[in-house]
Amino acid sequence: MDELWTNLRRTQVFNIIGLLGVLVLLNTNGVESGKKAHNLESFQYPAISCRAHSVSLEDFGGVGDGTTSNTRAFKAAIDHLSQFATDGGSQLYIPPGKWLTGSFNISTSHFTLYLHKDAVLLASQDESEWPIIEPLPSYGRGRDNAEGGRYSSLIFGTNLTDIVITGDNGTIDGQGEPWWTKFRAKELNYTRPYLIEILYSEKLQISGLTLINSPSWNIHPTYCSNVIVQGITILAPVTSPNTDGINPDSCTNTRIEDCYIVSGDDCVAVKSGWDEYGISFGMPTKQLVIRRLTCISPTSAVIALGSEMSGGIEDVRAEDITAIDSESGVRIKTSIGRGGFVKKVYVRRMTLKTMKWVFWMTGNYGNHPDNNYDPKALPVIQNINYRDIVAENVTMAARLEGIPGDTFSDICISNVTIGLTEKPKELQWNCTDIAGIWSDVTPKPCDLLLDQGPEKIKQCKFPENSLPIDNIKIRTCCNKNF
Ligand SMILES: *[C@@H]1O[C@H](CO)[C@@H](O)[C@H](O)[C@H]1NC(C)=O
Ligand SMILES: *[C@@H]1O[C@H](CO)[C@@H](O)[C@H](O)[C@H]1NC(C)=O
Ligand SMILES: *[C@@H]1O[C@H](CO)[C@@H](O)[C@H](O)[C@H]1NC(C)=O
Ligand SMILES: *[C@@H]1O[C@H](CO)[C@@H](O)[C@H](O)[C@H]1NC(C)=O
Ligand SMILES: *[C@@H]1O[C@H](CO)[C@@H](O)[C@H](O)[C@H]1NC(C)=O
Ligand SMILES: *[C@@H]1O[C@H](CO)[C@@H](O)[C@H](O)[C@H]1NC(C)=O
Ligand SMILES: *[C@@H]1O[C@H](CO)[C@@H](O)[C@H](O)[C@H]1NC(C)=O
């Protein structure tokens, strides 16, 4: 390995791989030479961009034994690949194995990380493997702790263009248990790390992976545009703290589709900054489509909008959503002091089973970063549309709670059938400080929503036009590129 390592310092990597190819071809025993042969395995995958150069983590001293730290190998490989950013881009291939690593940075654009289906990235449980980074400007502080910074995510990147993190359903294992324990015991001085966080970037694809046991949130694209999250499985114990699935945060033009999420917090949580920090940063999440999501989240929402929404959330489309044993459907969470807005939200075709609430809006979520929030900063919640929903075994149809003097308005609910559990709440719709309309909904909504009659069913519209993110071209990439 040392010899190979030294060679790499001087030689074009694909020449080495070509040489290995010859060696493997000369070797009749394909199984025993399997370790290197993975470089030559032909694989194809869909991506926004294909790459001209590819190396394997093993070529940079990576050891997939589950106990050797690969943090330096990741850095060496990505440092090496950064020379190709303007020369066709590059790919880092993770072969079968258990690759223990601390936090590492994607520090080059036009880059793909590809995990073989039997590759597992094991997140280190050694806190010294996790650099402390600044809080996000739109949050002012870390989510867990008032003081100090936050642990950098396992895979971190900032100010990048054209990044693909994908695989043939390879696994990223956050090994979150000790983080959860320390968080519960208030023993952490910094905010827990996420699994993938990419900031200030354009053209991002995260797909074809299974993420398990994250220390906290799983996927956090922030201040990004043109984001695709597709075909992701996220699993964490339903009792684990804040293991949100996918959290688009101050992002424009995002598509989340074909994901399966079982977690201890919201399956998808749409965000845009926190109170005075989010207001002054002023960057909304807009043009977001979420489709074909399957969620199990017994203590949280299938899709949450907020509670950090101070930069605004606008034009969210959710369709073909399936949930089992979840607390609520598409929930709006906000508070006095948040400012910002949640508007133009369109939801259609949800199938829900065993829910506490189908509809839930909360205007008094609280949870402020500090006491400097502006009590006059009231959120605007407006134009929220739900249609074509079937729910079974529901405890309470709706809890819609606006803010006194700040009515949540233009709510529209149509074509909804809610079957109740054996012991339903007596009051099925509890509404305060909201306004809107409904048609064809059972059980019958509260009086603050006005009955339009069944013929007005088309009123809760869903946009006919598609978002620009649906027009991004996906190519078929393969390792023959190098
Ligand atoms: C990644 O980059 C950030 C700054 O962009 C830095 O603070 C952090 O230490 C880097 N992480 C590693 C593992 O080098
Ligand atoms: C990243 O981009 C943001 C926004 O343009 C900028 O404020 C910041 O300084 C950049 N950071 C780096 C490390 O280039
Ligand atoms: C990926 O792996 C997970 C965990 O083993 C599994 O539940 C899921 O069905 C797999 N997804 C695909 C697309 O194969
Ligand atoms: C947290 O900070 C305290 C006080 O500075 C220190 O004693 C403790 O070791 C720190 N804990 C960790 C896990 O870094
Ligand atoms: C009402 O919703 C159900 C379930 O999504 C759907 O099958 C049906 O076509 C909808 N009806 C109308 C009139 O849109
Ligand atoms: C219905 O919901 C209750 C909780 O309210 C749950 O205990 C029960 O198992 C559910 N029944 C079915 C048939 O899913
Ligand atoms: C209805 O909601 C209000 C708050 O919006 C709450 O104070 C009240 O207790 C609720 N009523 C019932 C019967 O749950």
Side-chain angles (χ1 to χ4, degrees):
M1 200 74 237
D2 280 344
E3 224 173 83
L4 178 58
W5 179 272
T6 320
N7 279 341
L8 281 171
R9 296 277 159 208
R10 297 189 232 112
T11 327
Q12 294 280 328
V13 165
F14 50 89
N15 288 342
I16 294 289
I17 290 167
L19 175 63
L20 287 170
V22 172
L23 292 175
V24 170
L25 287 174
L26 291 173
N27 188 336
T28 48
N29 190 335
V31 176
E32 275 175 22
S33 64
K35 239 182 152 185
K36 286 300 167 195
H38 290 302
N39 284 330
L40 300 167
E41 244 177 43
S42 168
F43 57 94
Q44 291 193 335
Y45 60 92
I48 51 175
S49 308
C50 303
R51 311 303 182 191
H53 305 271
S54 180
V55 298
S56 165
L57 187 66
E58 279 185 317
D59 302 333
F60 289 82
V63 180
D65 63 1
T67 54
T68 307
S69 173
N70 288 284
T71 314
R72 286 176 58 215
F74 272 104
K75 184 173 178 350
I78 295 170
D79 282 353
H80 169 81
L81 291 173
S82 63
Q83 69 184 293
F84 302 120
T86 54
D87 179 27
S90 64
Q91 169 180 282
L92 177 57
Y93 171 75
I94 313 300
K98 287 186 160 47
W99 308 89
L100 182 71
T101 181
S103 166
F104 65 90
N105 282 346
I106 294 177
S107 53
T108 181
S109 288
H110 307 289
F111 173 82
T112 296
L113 179 68
Y114 183 95
L115 271 66
H116 183 276
K117 67 176 161 42
D118 299 319
V120 181
L121 291 196
L122 275 182
S124 170
Q125 298 182 327
D126 173 357
E127 278 162 38
S128 70
E129 288 260 46
W130 302 81
I132 311 299
I133 61 170
E134 292 287 301
L136 291 165
S138 56
Y139 282 69
R141 49 163 272 196
R143 230 25 219 84
D144 293 347
N145 291 49
E147 316 85 39
R150 48 199 202 106
Y151 291 101
S152 181
S153 57
L154 183 69
I155 302 175
F156 178 80
T158 190
N159 302 68
L160 302 168
T161 304
D162 180 20
I163 298 298
V164 177
I165 301 172
T166 191
D168 177 19
N169 206 16
T171 301
I172 301 179
D173 180 351
Q175 303 207 93
E177 183 83 54
W179 295 100
W180 305 330
T181 305
K182 286 180 192 170
F183 171 74
R184 289 192 186 104
K186 298 191 165 39
E187 280 170 9
L188 290 171
N189 292 340
Y190 305 106
T191 292
R192 285 167 290 161
Y194 307 142
L195 286 186
I196 301 174
E197 182 175 73
I198 307 290
L199 313 180
Y200 299 109
S201 297
E202 207 250 333
K203 276 182 89 181
L204 173 62
Q205 170 185 337
I206 302 172
S207 63
L209 297 169
T210 293
L211 274 50
I212 64 174
N213 297 333
S214 177
S216 180
W217 299 354
N218 280 270
I219 297 178
H220 190 214
T222 311
Y223 321 136
C224 290
S225 61
N226 299 328
V227 179
I228 296 177
V229 179
Q230 199 268 338
I232 296 283
T233 301
I234 294 177
L235 307 172
V238 293
T239 52
S240 57
N242 313 107
T243 46
D244 296 24
I246 302 163
N247 292 8
D249 201 336
S250 296
C251 288
T252 300
N253 211 22
T254 301
R255 154 174 141 204
I256 297 170
E257 58 190 13
D258 305 306
C259 292
Y260 176 85
I261 303 176
V262 181
S263 83
D265 211 318
D266 305 319
C267 286
V268 172
V270 182
K271 297 179 183 286
S272 67
W274 207 4
D275 285 5
E276 68 272 23
Y277 305 101
I279 293 169
S280 73
F281 198 75
M283 194 167 185
T285 287
K286 58 184 184 189
Q287 296 177 299
L288 166 66
V289 57
I290 303 165
R291 56 169 75 104
R292 298 184 300 274
L293 167 68
T294 302
C295 168
I296 298 178
S297 180
T299 58
S300 299
V302 177
I303 298 173
L305 307 174
S307 80
E308 306 91 331
M309 39 59 69
S310 302
I313 294 173
E314 179 173 9
D315 195 352
V316 176
R317 305 158 184 210
E319 58 187 347
D320 301 306
I321 309 296
T322 304
I324 311 157
D325 193 10
S326 296
E327 193 176 46
S328 62
V330 178
R331 180 184 180 193
I332 295 174
K333 308 196 277 193
T334 187
S335 248
I336 288 173
R338 285 286 194 281
F341 51 82
V342 177
K343 60 189 182 192
K344 297 187 189 159
V345 174
Y346 310 97
V347 180
R348 70 175 169 191
R349 299 195 299 258
M350 288 206 292
T351 307
L352 311 171
K353 185 168 184 208
T354 304
M355 308 288 291
K356 207 159 171 188
W357 297 286
V358 173
F359 302 105
W360 195 9
M361 296 182 190
T362 307
N364 66 350
Y365 194 79
N367 198 332
H368 300 288
D370 52 40
N371 292 326
N372 301 327
Y373 66 90
D374 176 3
K376 293 200 195 73
L378 299 177
V380 174
I381 312 300
Q382 199 173 44
N383 195 355
I384 313 294
N385 303 274
Y386 301 98
R387 59 174 302 149
D388 308 338
I389 296 171
V390 179
E392 287 175 46
N393 200 29
V394 168
T395 308
M396 184 171 172
R399 194 171 152 188
L400 304 177
E401 193 181 341
I403 295 173
D406 179 27
T407 301
F408 294 1
S409 62
D410 292 326
I411 296 166
C412 185
I413 302 179
S414 74
N415 187 24
V416 176
T417 307
I418 299 174
L420 302 178
T421 177
E422 278 177 17
K423 294 181 193 155
K425 291 275 185 206
E426 204 161 313
L427 181 66
Q428 275 298 314
W429 287 75
N430 188 2
C431 306
T432 48
D433 304 294
I434 60 131
I437 57 175
W438 67 275
S439 62
D440 200 10
V441 176
T442 53
K444 185 181 173 297
C446 54
D447 292 340
L448 290 179
L449 297 175
L450 305 177
D451 181 2
Q452 301 299 291
E455 73 280 3
K456 298 276 178 63
I457 204 158
K458 289 287 171 208
Q459 234 150 0
C460 309
K461 59 189 177 307
F462 194 96
E464 310 246 309
N465 66 331
S466 64
L467 291 171
I469 193 68
D470 271 328
N471 304 326
I472 283 200
K473 194 166 174 259
I474 303 290
R475 306 170 56 192
T476 298
C477 305
C478 65
N479 71 337
K480 293 206 173 62
N481 283 338
F482 63 86

